[in-house]
Amino acid sequence: MVQGTTSDAGKSTLVAGLCRVLRRRGVSVTPFKPQNMALNSAVTADGGEIGRAQALQAQAAGVPPHTDMNPVLLKPSSDSGAQIIIHGKARTDMDARAYHRYKPRAMAAVLESYRRLQSQYDCVVVEGAGSPAEINLREGDIANMGFAEAVDCPVVLVADIDRGGVFAHFLGTLQCLSASEQARIRGFVINRFRGDPGLLLPGLEWLEKKTGKPVFGALPYLHGLHLDAEDAIQPQQGEKAAGERLRVIAPVFPRISNHTDFDVLRAHPQVEFSFIGPGMRIPHADLIVLPGSKSVQSDLAWLVREGWAPEIRRHLRYGGKLIGLCGGMQMLGTRLHDPRGLEGAPGSQPGLGLLDCQTTLGPDKQLRQVRGRLVASGARVSGYEIHMGVSTGTALARPAIQLDDGRPDGALSEDGQVFATYLHGLFDEPQACTTLLAWAGLAQPAAVDYAALREASIDRLADALTGHLQIERMLAAMR
């Protein structure tokens, strides 16, 4: 099991790298995360929903993603509440106190999935959540040491040296653990190291002497990796060569979901992509994309408060293009109905009114992997649906996508400026991406195979693990 001293310490990355290292050695390996809290999710082949990071780790392991790899997924809908997804299916919504009481049932689901994976694979590489040192979350813990203790699992602890204070992070975490939990930690990995490794050596020797535990090595800061983020938005965009640029912007909703939809655009050499957060000036752009949302009505209210509505209309008036993805598509319609109060008080509210359609939220979540073609060009698209709303209206008579299962999807406005779809992964297929970029105004868009970039990044990560960590020593300690 890989646990971290903080969130975003590198747990997901280390697990993905270990899965690829083991796969290269002919080991049958699978990732596993008992409990995940994230708004970036993926749809599995068995029709369920798991954290996006686990889907990436499954790719690194060379196995299809399955709901057992992330049996408990929490999707925050407010600062104190979340949708509870068990074995890939949404069960209920709870606040933090109610979920605390629910944890024994969640733990049963975790152990059920873990035992199934354990019976199918030679090795299970487990990812913790946040930090095991959160004292207020220790009782009933199912995500970190509570799970490790329950299944007698050895642990490696990873910390991010780029944040500073890495030795304090390691020592402080150990001090917050019980004696049996401290003994369970077999050693340490330092992540995102920059500089001369020789200058780090005295600190490593001090840490080993102080704790009696080995440091398995320091991973360098690997720039330019194309790996799906578990949740946090990474604002950095790599340097790009000079030339024509298509300017693309997307608002960062408070409950933005599946922002990995934009990873292809962020990697594209001819796209200047920007996330626009609260209080930021809304710049001129060629294309505006409204992303998915876990709480469509409140995020739409935020969008209006931030001044996006008049800016979007001005953008369209001057010939700009607009895409709405999933929740973003629902915002483009005339009204949003929530008769059951699934996202707050029951009722309706106006949408942006840019498409003649309306959406009614319901309790049944649509979860499916899909393939199809862009209606306008015939370009292939592939991705997945994750949504609870059903949209109706005359705008849908002009679908944007024709799915292979026979269903039409989304809408294309009569003037051809507004494109709406429920499909996540819209830009993933190279032909679809180039077609949409050309529609948005890019004269000669290059084709970017993001799947190949992701695969190359996983291999590069595995190479870094074998080159900078004492892999044999770490694997021996983990057995």
Side-chain angles (χ1 to χ4, degrees), residues 60-367:
V63 295
H66 191 278
T67 51
D68 278 338
M69 296 174 184
N70 179 202
V72 178
L73 175 61
L74 311 179
K75 301 191 79 171
S77 53
S78 69
D79 289 344
S80 59
Q83 184 180 66
I84 313 300
I85 296 170
I86 305 293
H87 290 146
K89 303 298 182 184
R91 302 300 184 189
T92 185
D93 286 81
M94 293 182 183
D95 62 21
R97 289 185 181 276
Y99 180 67
H100 184 70
R101 295 190 294 270
Y102 184 81
K103 276 185 177 180
R105 293 177 62 184
M107 183 59 149
V110 165
L111 295 177
E112 179 185 337
S113 288
Y114 174 70
R115 290 176 184 130
R116 277 197 292 262
L117 294 178
Q118 197 177 36
S119 69
Q120 297 169 25
Y121 295 92
D122 299 332
C123 180
V124 181
V125 184
V126 187
E127 180 186 342
S131 162
E134 305 293 346
I135 302 300
N136 56 308
L137 300 177
R138 296 293 301 282
E139 184 181 355
D141 170 57
I142 69 173
N144 289 300
M145 283 299 178
F147 171 80
E149 294 269 86
V151 302
D152 190 24
C153 181
V155 174
V156 61
L157 192 62
V158 60
D160 177 7
I161 196 171
D162 197 53
R163 296 181 177 208
V166 69
F167 300 110
H169 284 175
F170 283 133
L171 288 181
T173 298
L174 286 176
Q175 288 300 309
C176 292
L177 303 179
S178 69
S180 64
E181 292 167 347
Q182 290 180 18
R184 191 166 296 285
I185 293 179
R186 301 293 194 263
F188 309 112
V189 169
I190 291 174
N191 190 32
R192 299 190 182 106
F193 176 70
R194 312 176 194 239
D196 182 354
L199 298 177
L200 187 61
L201 189 58
L204 304 185
E205 293 173 345
W206 177 88
L207 182 63
E208 291 190 347
K209 183 177 180 180
K210 188 80 173 176
T211 64
K213 299 178 184 296
V215 178
F216 295 123
L219 280 173
Y221 201 116
L222 299 174
H223 296 275
L225 287 180
H226 298 282
L227 302 175
D228 301 46
E230 182 172 67
D231 203 39
I233 291 176
Q234 305 298 328
Q236 296 86 1
Q237 190 173 8
E239 293 293 327
K240 298 184 179 182
E244 183 188 4
R245 291 278 191 279
L246 189 80
R247 290 162 295 186
V248 183
I249 61 173
V252 181
F253 301 142
R255 300 296 166 195
I256 186 173
S257 67
N258 292 78
H259 60 72
T260 49
D261 285 337
F262 304 120
D263 286 353
V264 183
L265 301 183
R266 288 159 60 83
H268 199 285
Q270 297 164 287
V271 172
E272 181 184 313
F273 182 90
S274 301
F275 282 115
I276 309 301
M280 294 175 63
R281 184 182 67 85
I282 303 171
H284 171 72
D286 302 297
L287 172 64
I288 296 176
V289 188
L290 301 184
S293 164
K294 181 63 186 71
S295 187
V296 179
Q297 295 190 85
S298 63
D299 279 350
L300 175 57
W302 174 91
L303 194 77
V304 172
R305 288 196 305 272
E306 290 288 318
W308 279 84
E311 288 296 327
I312 288 173
R313 291 187 177 90
R314 179 180 179 276
H315 168 79
L316 294 173
R317 203 161 51 243
Y318 283 91
K321 298 299 197 296
L322 174 65
I323 294 178
L325 298 175
C326 197
M329 167 181 161
Q330 295 175 349
M331 295 179 189
L332 295 176
T334 55
R335 293 200 72 82
L336 285 164
H337 305 292
D338 187 6
R340 296 170 177 259
L342 298 173
E343 291 188 351
S348 299
Q349 73 178 76
L352 294 174
L354 298 173
L355 291 174
D356 186 13
C357 62
Q358 51 189 319
T359 299
T360 301
L361 297 181
D364 297 326
K365 181 180 284 192
Q366 305 298 313
L367 293 167

Side-chain angles (χ1 to χ4, degrees), residues 438-463:
W439 166 76
L442 189 59
Q444 293 182 312
V448 172
D449 188 341
Y450 195 75
L453 288 177
R454 185 188 291 116
E455 185 67 18
S457 291
I458 295 172
D459 279 331
R460 181 179 161 212
L461 175 60
D463 291 342

Side-chain angles (χ1 to χ4, degrees), residues 9-29:
K11 298 182 293 293
S12 299
T13 303
L14 185 54
V15 168
L18 287 172
C19 284
R20 178 53 56 92
V21 168
L22 290 166
R23 179 192 177 193
R24 287 175 173 177
R25 298 179 176 211
V27 176
S28 168
V29 59

